Amino acid sequence: GAVVSQHPSRVICKSGTSVKIECRSLDFQATTMFWYRQFPKQSLMLMATSNEGSKATYEQGVEKDKFLINHASLTLSTLTVTSAHPEDSSFYICSARDPMTVDTQYFGPGTRLTVL
Amino acid sequence: SQQGEEDPQALSIQEGENATMNCSYKTSINNLQWYRQNSGRGLVHLILIRSNEREKHSGRLRVTLDTSKKSSSLLITASRAADTASYFCATASTSGSRLTFGEGTQLTVNP
């Protein structure tokens, strides 16, 4: 099946620093990727939809200047959490849509961000 | 906002028993999907059922969809300890559109 990777799997940073998370589709080209945020014991909240070669579409309430998304190639999308604060600590998960199976999203393993 | 509501929030059963989880949603859908998440990991796609389908099977999984009641159920038969995970339903309003996830059910299968 389709494989999506995320890097890093875990990151700890100081307040005020920026953190970049990569999401890669390994065996298919993903024109659309999605970024989710998940708090402990809660569901996934969609943050933004990332389209290759165009600007990301952010969900209501998500600060686009805070969470920068770049989808520069068909296999890579990045999420940069700028000037991170402790309240940004969360589990960030990406997914990618395989154009061949348009309705199914393949999820990465997630990135645990802890901001001190 | 989350469209799906799932019940129960938590379910604890013995190995070999069946587990049933329910999902309700509010708006029209094109398809409904079930995902599994082990603690601290990503999501694994289990099964997709389209709005014109009523039931689908995959191995020990059985999914039903009742669009008149806007609800779906996931049945896991002959459960195993390895089935312990969180299970989420997710709906798509149109083909290929964004998914809206339910709150999830935490399933614990005791050996």
Side-chain angles (χ1 to χ4, degrees):
Chain A
V3 178
V4 175
S5 70
Q6 268 183 255
H7 178 79
S9 58
R10 190 180 296 267
V11 57
I12 301 173
C13 69
K14 292 183 179 179
S15 192
T17 60
S18 294
V19 175
K20 179 185 283 189
I21 303 170
E22 295 185 347
C23 178
R24 294 182 186 272
S25 55
L26 298 184
D27 50 3
F28 65 99
Q29 292 185 328
T31 54
T32 304
M33 291 184 173
F34 302 87
W35 286 96
Y36 297 84
R37 183 173 181 176
Q38 185 180 33
F39 290 107
K41 298 190 186 302
Q42 293 189 23
S43 188
L44 280 73
M45 295 292 293
L46 179 65
M47 299 174 66
T49 302
S50 170
N51 295 299
E52 187 269 335
S54 65
K55 290 183 179 180
T57 303
Y58 289 82
E59 294 299 303
Q60 192 172 7
V62 178
E63 300 174 59
K64 60 182 179 182
D65 295 330
K66 171 77 172 175
F67 299 99
L68 301 178
I69 291 172
N70 184 280
H71 193 158
S73 79
L74 287 171
T75 59
L76 173 65
S77 175
T78 60
L79 167 68
T80 301
V81 183
T82 62
S83 187
H85 290 281
E87 57 264 30
D88 298 324
S89 298
S90 188
F91 194 56
Y92 293 88
I93 308 176
C94 73
S95 70
R97 182 192 293 152
D98 182 350
M100 300 301 291
T101 56
V102 66
D103 289 319
T104 301
Q105 291 183 24
Y106 298 95
F107 284 79
T111 296
R112 172 75 58 195
L113 170 63
T114 303
V115 185
L116 303 176
Chain B
S1 63
Q2 293 296 316
Q3 167 168 242
E5 296 180 0
E6 293 179 64
D7 76 88
Q9 289 188 337
L11 179 62
S12 182
I13 59 175
Q14 294 299 123
E15 214 167 20
E17 295 180 339
N18 296 340
T20 299
M21 290 160 270
N22 302 296
C23 167
S24 61
Y25 56 92
K26 296 185 174 70
T27 61
S28 297
I29 62 170
N30 173 275
N31 65 79
L32 185 146
Q33 305 178 36
W34 285 89
Y35 288 84
R36 166 199 168 118
Q37 182 182 35
N38 286 72
S39 180
R41 307 290 293 273
L43 273 71
V44 174
H45 183 261
L46 296 176
I47 198 164
L48 180 153
I49 186 165
R50 301 195 183 281
S51 59
N52 61 352
E53 298 176 308
R54 291 298 166 257
E55 187 172 312
K56 281 189 89 167
H57 296 254
S58 177
R60 293 184 296 114
L61 305 180
R62 173 176 168 255
V63 168
T64 63
L65 179 65
D66 187 334
T67 52
S68 66
K69 295 181 179 178
K70 291 186 167 57
S71 67
S72 173
S73 68
L74 170 67
L75 168 68
I76 303 175
T77 60
S79 65
R80 305 166 183 167
D83 293 329
T84 295
S86 292
Y87 292 82
F88 294 93
C89 68
T91 57
S93 57
T94 58
S95 179
S97 69
R98 51 179 287 216
L99 294 176
T100 301
F101 282 83
E103 298 301 318
T105 294
Q106 172 62 51
L107 173 67
T108 302
V109 182
N110 302 298

